[in-house]
């Protein structure tokens, strides 16, 4: 694919369910527009039900849009659905490999569906198994694999036919910390090999860490598309004091709000964020208050506005809700 041609281009994409007339019913995706450059890692960040998965399903040809246009790998998805499928790989949060088959047999089967010769599919399968760290267990039935191992195998299956673009829908959901870190490392390695990645995620930190550009979507609408740093720059210039107490801070939240030079206080269980223009004016009184109320401080950090702050500003949503939707973060 020509680097000048966008890997993905979406214009006014809309999906309605029900209604029948194309104008009523539930709007899942509302006039979404964005562009993904070739060779990029692009993040689609938003809460559950925001429209991320519906957008992906339209881009890969599984769901017809109500209106709007979309091109993948320079091809109109509506006009060339099969050609688009040959150029993309898809890793869904709900898909799984054939449990009774080994990783090698799963890969060989999918490669055969793509019309690859026996020699080529075996070469490609072994290459993917080594790359994904599954070669030593290639002959074991995948029903014996851990969640992280199955997720890596799904990535291998999506890559077996050497696609230009990889779609990943919540790739680290439900994974332990080590497995999630390995998936993120693999995505960077794939991107270094020239694969364009479109990643949907609930995890704000994951989008910040991986993605060159990020679209924030809420209630079917894109509220911002930009680099992580540019999104952070939208937050009013004030610094964050993040303090973690040994116990829940609800009991002293009122006293925290009375501290001088503090613009805002957000209590998240044991963790508290205080927003101030000059943290040096707040820290002494914060320590005094902790001592007075016998509240043990476990950690204390200061930082500039984060992508999480930008997300809250742009959507009005509590970032803790994002994590609660999918369980512990990987």
């Amino acid at each position: 694919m020509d680097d000048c041609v966008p890997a993905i281009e979406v214009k006014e994409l809309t999906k309605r369910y029900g209604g029948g007339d194309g104008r009523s019913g539930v709007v899942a995706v509302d006039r979404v527009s964005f562009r993904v450059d070739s060779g990029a890692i692009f993040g689609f960040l938003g809460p559950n039900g925001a429209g991320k998965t519906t957008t992906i399903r339209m881009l890969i040809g599984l769901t017809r849009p109500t209106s709007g246009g979309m091109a993948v790998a320079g091809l109109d998805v509506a006009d060339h659905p099969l050609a688009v499928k040959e150029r993309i790989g898809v890793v869904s949060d709900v898909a799984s490999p054939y449990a009774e088959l080994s990783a090698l047999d799963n890969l060989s089967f999918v490669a055969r569906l793509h019309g690859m010769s026996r020699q080529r599919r075996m070469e490609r399968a072994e290459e993917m198994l080594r790359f994904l760290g599954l070669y030593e267990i290639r002959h074991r039935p995948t029903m014996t694999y851990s969640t992280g191992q199955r997720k890596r195998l799904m990535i291998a299956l999506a890559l077996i036919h050497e696609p230009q673009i990889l779609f990943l829908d919540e790739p680290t959901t439900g994974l332990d910390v080590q497995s999630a870190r390995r998936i993120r490392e693999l995505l960077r390695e794939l991107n270094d090999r020239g694969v364009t990645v479109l990643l949907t995620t609930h995890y704000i930190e994951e989008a910040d860490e991986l993605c060159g550009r990020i679209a924030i979507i809420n209630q079917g609408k894109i509220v911002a598309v930009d680099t992580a740093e540019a999104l952070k720059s939208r937050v009013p210039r004030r610094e964050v004091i993040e303090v973690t107490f040994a116990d829940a801070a609800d009991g002293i939240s009122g006293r925290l709000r009375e501290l001088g030079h503090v613009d805002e206080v957000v209590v998240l269980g044991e963790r508290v964020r205080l927003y101030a223009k000059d943290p040096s004016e707040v820290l002494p009184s914060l320590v005094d208050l902790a001592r007075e109320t016998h509240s043990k401080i476990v950690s204390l950090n200061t930082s500039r506005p984060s992508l999480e702050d930008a997300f809250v500003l742009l959507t009005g949503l509590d970032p803790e809700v994002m994590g609660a939707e999918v369980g512990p973060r990987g």
Side-chain angles (χ1 to χ4, degrees), residues 38-72:
S38 180
I41 299 181
F42 186 91
F44 220 41
L45 176 65
N48 204 22
K52 303 186 305 296
T53 299
T54 301
T55 302
I56 295 294
R57 287 178 63 84
M58 288 188 283
L59 285 170
I60 64 177
L62 291 182
T63 299
R64 288 182 177 274
T66 304
S67 61
M70 50 187 176
V72 174

Side-chain angles (χ1 to χ4, degrees), residues 35-233:
R35 168 189 170 123
V36 180
D37 291 331
S38 180
I41 299 181
F42 186 91
F44 220 41
L45 176 65
N48 204 22
K52 303 186 305 296
T53 299
T54 301
T55 302
I56 295 294
R57 287 178 63 84
M58 288 188 283
L59 285 170
I60 64 177
L62 291 182
T63 299
R64 288 182 177 274
T66 304
S67 61
M70 50 187 176
V72 174
L75 299 169
D76 187 290
V77 178
D79 293 340
H80 306 283
L82 294 180
V84 166
K85 284 181 171 64
E86 281 301 311
R87 290 163 173 78
I88 65 173
V90 181
V91 181
S92 168
D93 185 36
V94 296
S96 60
Y98 292 104
E100 298 82 6
L101 298 181
S102 67
L104 187 61
D105 288 340
N106 265 281
L107 286 164
S108 179
F109 174 70
V110 172
R112 187 174 181 181
L113 293 179
H114 284 283
M116 298 169 66
S117 68
R118 176 177 174 79
Q119 180 178 349
R120 179 56 184 153
R121 62 179 181 254
M122 293 306 294
E123 290 173 351
R124 184 65 179 162
E126 292 201 0
E127 179 187 352
M128 287 293 95
L129 288 166
R130 293 183 188 279
F131 176 60
L132 275 299
L134 299 171
Y135 188 77
E136 297 303 319
I137 57 173
R138 64 192 183 280
H139 294 303
R140 278 173 39 189
T142 60
M143 67 177 69
T144 66
Y145 284 18
S146 68
T147 301
Q149 288 168 337
R150 284 196 299 272
K151 188 77 76 169
R152 278 184 278 152
L153 177 56
M154 292 307 299
I155 294 175
L157 291 167
L159 294 171
I160 191 69
H161 60 298
E162 301 182 77
Q164 301 167 4
I165 304 165
L166 182 63
F167 291 87
L168 295 110
D169 194 9
E170 308 289 351
T172 60
T173 297
L175 298 185
D176 60 78
V177 172
Q178 185 176 2
S179 296
R181 183 182 297 117
R182 179 59 179 147
I183 294 294
R184 290 192 286 269
E185 290 171 353
L186 288 168
L187 295 183
R188 291 192 194 93
E189 291 178 44
L190 283 170
N191 188 238
D192 289 342
R193 294 183 174 201
V195 178
T196 301
V197 177
L198 193 153
L199 164 75
T200 74
T201 182
H202 289 81
Y203 300 139
I204 296 173
E205 298 94 334
E206 186 166 79
D208 194 5
E209 181 181 342
L210 286 174
C211 304
R213 287 175 65 81
I214 298 166
I216 296 178
I217 185 169
N218 187 36
Q219 296 181 337
K221 295 183 178 181
I222 288 187
V223 297
V225 183
D226 218 323
T227 65
E229 292 307 312
L231 292 171
K232 293 173 193 177
S233 71

